[in-house]
Amino acid sequence: MTVDTLQIQQQLIVRQRIRLMVNQYEIHAVSADGKEAGILAFAQQKRMAFKEQVTLYSDDTKTTPVLGFKARQVIDLGATYDVTDANGTPIGLFRKNFKESLLRSTWHLEQPGFGEMIGRESNLTVAILRRFVDSLSWLPYHFEFLIGDRPAFSVIKKWGLRDRYVVTIHDPQLDRRLVAAMAVALDALQSR
């Protein structure tokens, strides 16, 4: 993947690979007919790290890092995660609002010069069921990220044996690297 290819995408599909000891994700482009197209990035959550960390690579050989995100704090339910490019240059940050997330998961996402986006689970009933009925924690969910009252992007978890997300970018100025990082984080960090 090149950053230029990622930046022109209006929609992404994020698919989790089934692995026992590590979280891995593939980020795909979407073809004109709405189907999964070429792989844009491959993500892997670092195992047994003191600080949560995920690196996104150009492919599953993991030879060329593209971006990543890492927690600022060791263990914190409302930790802030810095998103950086391959050279370590900051491209944004996100954090979970722990208090608001008790009933409905809420995330704050910032892109420099762009403003703060707030993402919430759209369906309060599904959010509550997923939290309080363990056997329903697999239910799909839908996050809408807004800048004020304007849609920025959405992430919809689809039904299936493995986690699959459709990401739709509504704002053309949004850095797709930040969107890709947040989409992966919604799966990798959602239960924390």
Side-chain angles (χ1 to χ4, degrees):
M1 171 198 83
T2 67
V3 172
D4 292 338
T5 303
L6 178 62
Q7 294 294 20
I8 63 170
Q9 303 302 310
Q10 297 304 311
Q11 205 168 42
L12 304 168
I13 293 176
V14 179
R15 199 165 26 98
Q16 184 178 25
R17 288 184 176 179
I18 298 173
R19 300 289 184 264
L20 291 177
M21 299 299 293
V22 65
N23 285 331
Q24 294 182 338
Y25 304 89
E26 295 174 356
I27 300 170
H28 292 266
V30 178
S31 64
D33 63 357
K35 298 201 186 288
E36 192 175 289
I39 190 166
L40 296 170
F42 173 80
Q44 181 166 306
Q45 187 174 18
K46 194 172 184 175
R47 291 187 228 180
M48 298 191 289
F50 286 109
K51 293 182 182 181
E52 288 288 346
Q53 180 175 347
V54 176
T55 303
L56 283 80
Y57 300 92
S58 60
D59 59 34
D60 61 3
T61 63
K62 299 185 282 183
T63 55
T64 308
V66 177
L67 65 118
F69 60 88
K70 184 176 182 178
R72 288 181 183 173
Q73 301 88 352
V74 175
I75 297 176
D76 185 354
L77 297 174
T80 297
Y81 295 83
D82 293 302
V83 183
T84 58
D85 68 12
N87 298 318
T89 305
I91 57 175
L93 61 89
F94 59 84
R95 69 184 181 287
K96 190 171 188 178
N97 184 319
F98 179 72
K99 183 178 173 186
E100 286 186 36
S101 294
L102 291 174
L103 290 179
R104 181 187 301 196
S105 290
T106 302
W107 292 83
H108 297 264
L109 179 68
E110 295 178 26
Q111 176 178 317
F114 195 69
E116 183 180 63
M117 291 161 268
I118 298 177
R120 288 188 180 89
E121 286 183 271
S122 297
N123 189 317
L124 180 59
T125 303
V126 170
I128 291 170
L129 284 173
R130 285 187 331 98
R131 278 164 186 68
F132 297 110
V133 181
D134 280 342
S135 62
L136 296 177
S137 63
W138 54 268
L139 281 172
Y141 51 78
H142 179 166
F143 275 84
E144 283 293 333
F145 284 81
L146 305 173
I147 303 169
D149 58 353
R150 277 184 311 130
F153 69 99
S154 62
V155 180
I156 300 172
K157 181 179 180 183
K158 296 293 190 176
W159 292 91
L161 293 176
R162 60 182 172 174
D163 294 342
R164 183 175 169 267
Y165 302 86
V166 175
V167 181
T168 303
I169 297 112
H170 306 292
D171 192 309
Q173 297 176 8
L174 197 53
D175 190 325
R176 297 338 191 241
R177 299 172 299 174
L178 198 54
V179 172
M182 188 74 245
V184 169
L186 284 176
D187 185 272
L189 307 173
Q190 183 60 20
S191 62
R192 288 170 179 70

